[in-house]
Amino acid sequence: MFSKKMNDALNKQVNEEFFSAYLYLSMSSWFDSIGLKGFANWMMVQFKEEMEHAMKFYSYIQSRGGDIKLLAIEEPPSKWDSPLHAFKETLKHEQHITQCMNDLADLAEELKDRPTLNFLQWFIDEQVEEEENDRDIIQRLELIGESKNGIFMLDRELAQRVYTPETD
Ligand code: FEO
């Protein structure tokens, strides 16, 4: 059975994912405004992935016969002190999303909702990858320090990231 409690918690996650998309779109536009097109591209791919995450939750709720209630999306910041600051905030945000997934899984377990637990597994695995990617870029930005050359080299690399839609 799909409980109202589980429905509401998953519905809230739709909003969390849309906020994530909004945050990364804002970061993309900020990177673009300071001339770092590769970083902007990386964040744009991230934005698209988050939109996909939001829609995965949306479709799952519908597939269980639940109700969707779209909630207001919080306004994200529009400026960061440096690329390193933006990526530290990205990691912090992803750690928050990981906590959301863990809380959702705890609730599904408590309610003995196996299909939801199964659905959440993809996101739990995805969060490991998301946090790893952010930590990797933070580490490199810390090594680069103030070197403009280093930033431009990383910018060129991040320009290569391509959005690949999920097929399932
Ligand atoms: Fe939808 Fe970045 O987690």
Side-chain angles (χ1 to χ4, degrees), residues 124-163:
I124 290 166
D125 295 341
E126 173 76 6
Q127 283 311 117
V128 174
E129 203 186 302
E130 295 241 6
E131 286 191 29
E132 188 188 1
N133 290 342
D134 294 339
R135 266 198 302 273
D136 176 56
I137 296 174
I138 287 170
Q139 207 171 28
R140 292 167 68 187
L141 283 167
E142 279 171 344
L143 283 171
I144 286 167
E146 297 296 308
S147 158
K148 283 204 166 64
N149 238 347
I151 293 278
F152 284 120
M153 272 168 67
L154 184 55
D155 190 62
R156 269 210 297 272
E157 188 186 321
L158 298 184
Q160 307 302 314
R161 188 180 186 197
V162 177
Y163 170 64

Side-chain angles (χ1 to χ4, degrees), residues 17 24 46 50 53 94 97 127 130:
E17 299 295 337
Y24 299 139
Q46 198 64 25
E50 299 300 349
H53 296 172
E94 288 303 330
I97 296 293
Q127 283 311 117
E130 295 241 6

Side-chain angles (χ1 to χ4, degrees), residues 21-162:
Y22 233 36
L23 175 65
Y24 299 139
L25 186 60
S26 186
M27 285 184 177
S28 180
S29 84
W30 176 71
F31 275 121
D32 191 78
S33 76
I34 61 166
L36 293 173
K37 308 273 182 205
F39 281 87
N41 170 68
W42 195 94
M43 284 295 173
M44 186 59 83
V45 172
Q46 198 64 25
F47 157 74
K48 290 175 184 167
E49 285 193 3
E50 299 300 349
M51 293 296 288
E52 193 176 271
H53 296 172
M55 293 312 293
K56 265 181 187 257
F57 277 96
Y58 176 98
S59 302
Y60 178 72
I61 294 168
Q62 281 190 330
S63 74
R64 296 293 307 274
D67 296 319
I68 301 283
K69 179 164 175 11
L70 295 177
L71 308 168
I73 303 168
E74 193 189 320
E75 183 179 322
S78 55
K79 266 195 193 105
W80 291 267
D81 299 338
S82 62
L84 179 60
H85 179 223
F87 270 91
K88 281 188 169 170
E89 290 299 307
T90 299
L91 177 60
K92 224 191 275 176
H93 180 67
E94 288 303 330
Q95 286 166 336
H96 160 71
I97 296 293
T98 299
Q99 189 56 51
C100 291
M101 295 307 164
N102 292 341
D103 292 346
L104 286 169
D106 285 349
L107 182 62
E109 228 158 38
E110 186 190 310
L111 297 168
K112 299 196 186 337
D113 184 341
R114 292 222 165 77
T116 299
L117 210 46
N118 196 35
F119 165 76
L120 289 169
Q121 192 56 53
W122 183 90
F123 286 95
I124 290 166
D125 295 341
E126 173 76 6
Q127 283 311 117
V128 174
E129 203 186 302
E130 295 241 6
E131 286 191 29
E132 188 188 1
N133 290 342
D134 294 339
R135 266 198 302 273
D136 176 56
I137 296 174
I138 287 170
Q139 207 171 28
R140 292 167 68 187
L141 283 167
E142 279 171 344
L143 283 171
I144 286 167
E146 297 296 308
S147 158
K148 283 204 166 64
N149 238 347
I151 293 278
F152 284 120
M153 272 168 67
L154 184 55
D155 190 62
R156 269 210 297 272
E157 188 186 321
L158 298 184
Q160 307 302 314
R161 188 180 186 197
V162 177

